[in-house]
Amino acid sequence: FPVTIVFARIPIVEQKLSLVAENFAVINGKRLFITPNQFNQMGARLLIDKPRRYPVSTTSAFLHYDTISINIPEGYMVESMPREVNITTKFGHYSICYTVTNNTILTHREYERYSITTPPEDWPAFSKFMEEVYKGDRGKLTMIKTTN
């Protein structure tokens, strides 16, 4: 019996950026407001305005890992962090968390969407998952000035 073996290659892209961004933070009095995940936010919101009649197929499965490092400006400290999110559903997995080490804020984000066909009755659950990703990507961080 002839045997055919096919090896599928999963494409991987790794980017390393180092940049200085102007107007990255909103300043209000002694506070800086930042959205740490500026580079890979989920774009659109799904609306649940009426029940679906047909299934929805997500044929492009993917997995994104992101780590963003932000230096805390001299004379500032972190006052509040965005909420951490960790969700696993039949549609995919999403997690985002934040850590402060020395004068650096690290944002770790993982977003995996599975290739599935969602029946119409699962549309509200799929929309809820996508809404959590949308909100998680836009978490706000606040720093407060500690010196004059």
Side-chain angles (χ1 to χ4, degrees):
F1 295 98
V3 176
T4 303
I5 300 174
V6 177
F7 293 98
R9 299 190 84 188
I10 299 173
I12 296 173
V13 175
E14 183 175 324
Q15 296 176 326
K16 291 186 180 190
L17 304 171
S18 178
L19 58 101
V20 175
E22 293 184 25
N23 300 319
F24 182 71
V26 174
I27 300 172
N28 187 352
K30 297 179 358 178
R31 288 180 172 76
L32 293 176
F33 300 94
I34 295 174
T35 304
N37 180 28
Q38 289 286 325
F39 303 105
N40 199 8
Q41 294 181 351
M42 190 186 74
R45 288 181 123 151
L46 299 178
L47 302 175
I48 316 175
D49 54 349
K50 55 186 169 183
R52 288 199 61 87
R53 293 175 44 197
Y54 303 101
V56 174
S57 292
T58 53
T59 56
S60 57
F62 59 81
L63 174 59
H64 290 169
Y65 289 109
D66 297 302
T67 300
I68 299 169
S69 172
I70 299 171
N71 293 329
I72 299 172
E74 193 172 317
Y76 282 85
M77 64 179 262
V78 174
E79 182 179 49
S80 67
M81 302 283 276
R83 70 181 177 96
E84 293 187 4
V85 178
N86 191 355
I87 306 166
T88 300
T89 70
K90 64 181 175 181
F91 314 111
H93 170 76
Y94 174 80
S95 67
I96 191 164
C97 66
Y98 308 87
T99 56
V100 177
T101 306
N102 300 324
N103 287 328
T104 304
I105 302 160
L106 290 177
T107 302
H108 298 282
R109 179 185 184 266
E110 182 179 321
Y111 179 28
E112 181 176 14
R113 194 173 71 204
Y114 309 141
S115 176
I116 70 167
T117 298
T118 303
E121 58 271 13
D122 286 349
W123 180 251
F126 179 71
S127 292
K128 182 179 179 189
F129 171 69
M130 298 302 284
E131 181 69 13
E132 287 296 316
V133 173
Y134 183 89
K135 288 179 181 177
D137 280 351
R138 286 161 177 76
K140 302 281 189 233
L141 179 138
T142 306
M143 290 186 236
I144 189 163
K145 193 169 190 172
T146 57
T147 61
N148 290 331

